[in-house]
Amino acid sequence: MMILDIKDLTLRFGGLTAVNKVSFGIEEGSIESLIGPNGAGKTSLFNCLTGFYKPQEGDVLFEGKSLLKLRPHKITALGMARTFQNLRLFKNLTVMENVMSGMHCRASSGVAGAILRPPAQRAEEKRIRDVALECMEFVGILDFKNRLAKNLPYGDQRRVEWARALATQPKLLLLDEPAAGLNYDEKMQLIELIRRIRDERKITVFLIEHDMGLVMKVSEKIFVIDYGTKIAEGTAQEVQNNPRVIEAYLGKEEETAV
């Protein structure tokens, strides 16, 4: 069953076509990746999926429901969370506060509840705190819960962002360059964490990543785009051996004149 179905998606910026009639589906319960050279349109595609960009053509279906007219927070509430290539933490808030902010889309109490704090409000606050604690423990940052996010090493700041995304309680998690800036050991831990997210939390994972070693180790299926167009899809071995993929990354060998 496809949890996400992308149909002929096209995004233009003036005369530039960033995403060109791209179609593919993400299987529920899978770990799948989107790769391509720099400027291929990967993040633009992610931004279309999550409501930050509005494509001119095509459709995006999440569990059969079109996302094209929905704002990002509505898409998150449906069960699709994402992280960003560049960290977007609240640097002057604690780790706990950052992760708790991910539960905003699941909160129901309004301004009056926050002021009066009836039993239902207090129960919801406890639930939000409990979810945040559990997510921090899951990604390995529970010991840092009271530290300001800006005071953590870069790798741990990445973990804060992952914990916050998990706190939205997603069915599908989109990771945009999750290994960027990580050292070798941190990348190996990331591979393990991605697998645990899928296996233990039953969350489908779809990632953009430039680290081909990581992609090949963790992905069950890989999609490749170049100049906004999908040029290949398949297993790691199939993609590695695809002539169009090799050409996109290494360039076409010039013919030697005889």
Side-chain angles (χ1 to χ4, degrees):
M1 175 182 172
M2 295 296 177
I3 190 170
L4 186 70
D5 199 2
I6 301 163
K7 297 178 177 291
D8 294 320
L9 201 66
T10 299
L11 174 71
R12 301 185 189 92
F13 298 107
L16 172 67
T17 301
V19 180
N20 185 24
K21 296 188 180 300
V22 170
S23 297
F24 60 85
I26 303 298
E27 189 78 24
E28 185 175 10
S30 65
I31 301 172
E32 305 189 19
S33 295
L34 177 67
I35 66 172
N38 286 332
K42 302 182 297 296
T43 295
S44 291
L45 178 61
F46 258 34
N47 285 337
C48 289
L49 303 183
T50 51
F52 289 91
Y53 291 164
K54 299 300 180 186
Q56 285 80 21
E57 298 174 20
D59 205 353
V60 179
L61 304 177
F62 178 65
E63 295 187 316
K65 179 181 177 63
S66 178
L67 303 180
L68 292 191
K69 295 182 180 180
L70 299 181
R71 295 173 65 84
H73 71 281
K74 293 291 186 181
I75 294 174
T76 302
L78 283 178
M80 185 192 299
R82 74 168 291 181
T83 63
F84 292 86
Q85 185 175 350
N86 299 313
L87 287 172
R88 297 193 180 186
L89 298 178
F90 300 110
K91 296 291 186 72
N92 292 313
L93 297 182
T94 66
V95 171
M96 168 71 86
E97 290 166 336
N98 268 277
V99 179
M100 287 175 66
S101 72
M103 283 288 290
H104 175 73
C105 66
R106 306 290 172 212
S108 58
S109 299
V111 175
I115 296 172
L116 301 175
R117 301 192 75 248
Q121 169 75 17
R122 294 195 297 272
E124 182 171 81
E125 289 175 357
K126 182 181 184 304
R127 181 175 65 87
I128 291 172
R129 183 177 179 85
D130 289 345
V131 169
L133 289 169
E134 192 274 331
C135 290
M136 287 186 290
E137 183 175 23
F138 187 83
V139 304
I141 54 170
L142 185 59
D143 290 344
F144 307 143
K145 65 180 185 292
N146 294 322
R147 292 177 60 179
L148 294 181
K150 66 181 180 182
N151 293 334
L152 295 184
Y154 180 82
D156 289 327
Q157 288 188 32
R158 279 281 183 194
R159 290 177 181 269
V160 175
E161 189 172 45
W162 303 336
R164 183 174 63 187
L166 290 176
T168 70
Q169 301 178 322
K171 300 173 185 176
L172 172 62
L173 177 61
L174 277 61
L175 303 173
D176 191 351
E177 299 280 1
L182 302 185
N183 61 36
Y184 176 82
D185 289 339
E186 290 169 334
K187 288 178 181 179
M188 293 304 101
Q189 293 167 8
L190 173 60
I191 290 172
E192 180 185 359
L193 178 62
I194 290 172
R195 289 173 176 157
R196 288 179 56 225
I197 288 171
R198 193 273 306 274
D199 295 340
E200 298 177 22
R201 303 181 76 93
K202 310 303 179 187
I203 297 171
T204 305
V205 181
F206 182 37
L207 62 146
I208 293 172
E209 185 51 65
H210 277 296
D211 188 311
M212 291 298 102
L214 185 150
V215 167
M216 299 303 168
K217 282 178 179 147
V218 79
S219 306
E220 295 159 352
K221 193 170 188 179
I222 300 170
F223 305 95
V224 189
I225 62 174
D226 188 29
Y227 293 106
T229 301
K230 190 184 78 173
I231 61 171
E233 66 176 81
T235 64
Q237 184 173 5
E238 289 169 341
V239 165
Q240 282 178 309
N241 295 327
N242 187 299
R244 291 192 68 188
V245 177
I246 295 170
E247 180 182 330
Y249 275 96
L250 300 181
K252 189 172 183 178
E253 185 176 351
E254 296 292 338
E255 293 184 6
T256 304
V258 178

